[in-house]
Amino acid sequence: MLAISGGGANGAYGAGLIVGWTKAGDRPEFDVVTGVSTGALTAPSPSSAPTGTSA
């Protein structure tokens, strides 16, 4: 499960973390991805892009 926080800088941090994980090629697969506020907007990225591809 991945829960992404929201609200300004926290949302940007979550998006950056997902991009970094993806670029490094070690982003895990998640059964459930959810978020609040800005996190809800970025939550589809890790769940829709296969591991090892750009989010």
Side-chain angles (χ1 to χ4, degrees), residues 2-48:
L2 175 64
I4 305 171
S5 138
N10 289 334
Y13 178 83
L17 178 69
I18 293 165
V19 169
W21 246 346
T22 303
K23 286 184 178 180
D26 60 355
R27 188 187 79 214
E29 294 286 331
F30 297 101
D31 293 328
V32 176
V33 181
T34 187
V36 174
S37 188
T38 308
L41 298 174
T42 59
S45 295
S47 61
S48 63

